[in-house]
Amino acid sequence: MLIVKPYGRSEAAHGEDGALRRQLRLRPDEAGPFALPEFAETHPELIVAQWISAIDKIAWKPRGQAKPTPEQRRLRDMLGGAAWELLARKHLPEDRLEELGKVWRRKLHPYGAGEDDRASGREKGRWYARFAGETAPGDIGKAEGAKIAGKIEEHLHEREYRIGGGRPNKRKGRIAARAESIAGNVVTTVSEPPKAGWTDADLERYRAAGDVAAKIRA
């Protein structure tokens, strides 16, 4: 799932600590720059997209122009309804719920109306067991859906899950961890300002080695 390109462009800049990090400028008015972790956790459309992405990993979504089976549609309806209730109540601006609700429904069922029985029995996504355990898809009701929605919230906003279980969750939510990883993924070259503490002699020794960063990048 894309974090930068749907909303603007990234640029690299040195922070107060001298570290080079990616920041975001929004289209079309070049607003910003915004720190990627903060943007990812507060921009409503991006929050919606990341919750949908989590549901897609739990409940199978037909590929391309294919239609869902009745069972696939039902499971996504149950998870989507519970997740939207929690998302709208805690993570989205109240004055935009009607607009964002339309975006949510379009992303939850991107294949439109109609159903196809030929993919019957394929309701579970790759992460299904991590969030739903041994509960069969057909047994997911409102109570079970609410529990799974709570786990999605924990995974995205508090402590990122590991798919296999048996190991502790990570220290940050998936949204923040991924955004921070992108922000820190910057390739430096000698044309950029040196980090604090570099001297002219340091730069000369670096250049004598043949611009190692450029060679690695190539």
Side-chain angles (χ1 to χ4, degrees):
M1 189 195 66
L2 300 176
I3 286 181
V4 174
K5 288 187 177 180
Y7 309 99
R9 64 178 179 83
S10 68
E11 61 181 29
H14 289 276
E16 294 181 359
D17 60 355
L20 191 65
R21 295 176 64 80
R22 291 191 182 277
Q23 298 176 319
L24 176 67
R25 284 198 179 273
L26 298 181
R27 287 191 298 263
D29 56 3
E30 292 290 293
F34 297 99
L36 281 171
E38 179 182 352
F39 178 83
E41 292 189 281
T42 58
H43 189 68
E45 285 83 358
L46 183 49
I47 292 173
V48 165
Q50 292 181 99
W51 275 69
I52 288 290
S53 178
I55 290 177
D56 288 345
K57 293 178 174 64
I58 300 169
W60 180 265
K61 179 178 68 175
R63 301 288 190 254
Q65 301 298 315
K67 296 296 182 181
T69 66
E71 294 81 10
Q72 288 171 344
R73 186 183 291 277
R74 177 191 176 278
L75 178 59
R76 290 181 67 86
D77 271 336
M78 296 305 301
L79 298 185
W84 173 254
E85 192 279 329
L86 182 57
L87 181 60
R89 176 163 49 87
K90 296 181 62 176
H91 298 283
L92 297 176
E94 186 175 353
D95 61 351
R96 295 195 59 199
L97 289 182
E98 182 176 356
E99 171 194 358
L100 293 169
K102 294 177 182 179
V103 175
W104 176 266
R105 291 187 291 273
R106 188 166 61 248
K107 288 180 177 292
L108 184 65
H109 295 300
Y111 31 73
E115 295 173 345
D116 188 340
D117 285 326
R118 287 178 290 182
S120 181
R122 200 174 185 181
E123 297 87 23
K124 296 180 180 180
R126 181 167 174 259
W127 282 72
Y128 180 90
R130 183 66 182 85
F131 284 84
E134 298 297 323
T135 305
D139 293 333
I140 300 291
K142 289 185 177 181
E144 292 78 14
K147 291 179 182 178
I148 294 172
K151 291 181 179 180
I152 292 174
E153 180 184 38
E154 182 180 39
H155 170 64
L156 293 178
H157 296 274
E158 300 172 22
R159 292 176 292 277
E160 183 179 358
Y161 286 13
R162 301 178 189 272
I163 190 169
R167 295 181 294 168
N169 297 337
K170 298 181 182 180
R171 295 182 179 181
K172 294 181 180 179
R174 168 70 174 168
I175 292 176
R178 186 159 183 259
E180 289 182 6
S181 175
I182 294 171
N185 185 19
V186 183
V187 178
T188 60
T189 69
V190 295
S191 62
E192 295 164 341
K195 290 185 177 181
W198 278 44
T199 66
D200 291 340
D202 292 330
L203 285 173
E204 286 303 318
R205 285 195 296 272
Y206 177 85
R207 292 190 179 102
D211 196 349
V212 178
K215 289 180 180 179
I216 292 173
R217 186 176 185 179

